[in-house]
Amino acid sequence: MQPSFELRIQTMVKAMRETIMPALDPANSAAIEQAYIVMGSLELLRQQIDHAHPFEVADARGMAELVRAMICEASLPSGEAADAVAARALLAVEDRDSPLSALRECNRALRAAIGLLIADAFADDDVSSRIQTLVLNHSERQIDRERAFVAAANFDVFPNSLRTIKETLSRAS
């Protein structure tokens, strides 16, 4: 039997809570704080695990869409290379066998390509405001997903406006 990710994470949290935490020196507040951070991070991973692949897919699609919109908006020196990065990312998204690590690498490449497009756009005053609007509109959806993905950490300053991970991913598709 192969234990699930959820069971393995629950087992790690239990080990932290029942064995490791009691063994820590109560005077070592840094170690205790870090142990709580590890337990919280493990719980966050447990909640995220089922959504990790769709989250990366949504990011790739959204960023590829942004790249293409930026290229359509203006002729930018890095446009051709960025379009190629977007095309590779979309191929990876369509390949159901693409591992999560490949999707993450595509997303890193997309972020880098977007950064170059933005730098190109801001070198031209006529283009910069139009590109800025595209980026800000894209950022709203991206931030919505990211906030939902880490909501369980309870650090959000506007928790009443949070959506669930499922809601943000369904909005992305």
Side-chain angles (χ1 to χ4, degrees), residues 50-67 86 89-90 92-94 100 103-104 106-108 110-111 114 138-146 148-149 164-173:
D50 288 340
H51 305 287
H53 196 274
F55 184 89
E56 295 295 334
V57 166
D59 270 2
R61 285 184 177 144
M63 286 189 286
E65 176 186 310
L66 176 60
V67 163
L90 291 173
V93 162
E94 296 307 316
L100 200 53
L103 292 173
R104 283 194 194 110
C106 287
N107 288 342
R108 278 191 284 278
L110 280 163
R111 283 184 190 89
I114 290 167
H138 167 78
S139 298
E140 185 178 343
R141 293 186 305 270
Q142 175 110 12
I143 290 168
D144 198 33
R145 273 194 309 275
E146 291 175 0
F149 208 65
T164 67
I165 295 172
K166 253 185 179 167
E167 288 171 336
T168 63
L169 292 175
S170 68
R171 285 181 68 199
S173 56

Side-chain angles (χ1 to χ4, degrees), residues 74-132:
S75 178
L76 301 167
S78 58
E80 192 174 320
D83 191 47
V85 169
R88 281 193 301 276
L90 291 173
L91 284 174
V93 162
E94 296 307 316
D95 180 0
R96 292 196 169 295
D97 293 330
S98 286
L100 200 53
S101 58
L103 292 173
R104 283 194 194 110
E105 184 54 42
C106 287
N107 288 342
R108 278 191 284 278
L110 280 163
R111 283 184 190 89
I114 290 167
L116 292 173
L117 289 169
I118 290 170
D120 289 347
F122 277 82
D124 182 345
D125 288 337
D126 293 334
V127 174
S128 63
S129 66
R130 296 190 323 259
I131 295 297
Q132 182 178 10

Side-chain angles (χ1 to χ4, degrees), residues 16-86:
M16 287 290 297
R17 186 177 50 252
E18 295 178 6
T19 307
I20 297 168
M21 296 272 306
L24 293 175
D25 179 357
N28 191 341
S29 60
I32 292 169
E33 177 185 311
Q34 291 301 304
Y36 277 112
I37 289 172
V38 168
M39 287 192 318
S41 294
L42 287 168
E43 176 58 26
L44 190 59
L45 284 171
R46 188 189 66 72
Q47 292 176 21
Q48 293 172 338
I49 198 80
D50 288 340
H51 305 287
H53 196 274
F55 184 89
E56 295 295 334
V57 166
D59 270 2
R61 285 184 177 144
M63 286 189 286
E65 176 186 310
L66 176 60
V67 163
R68 299 239 162 110
M70 292 169 78
I71 292 168
C72 287
E73 188 64 41
S75 178
L76 301 167
S78 58
E80 192 174 320
D83 191 47
V85 169

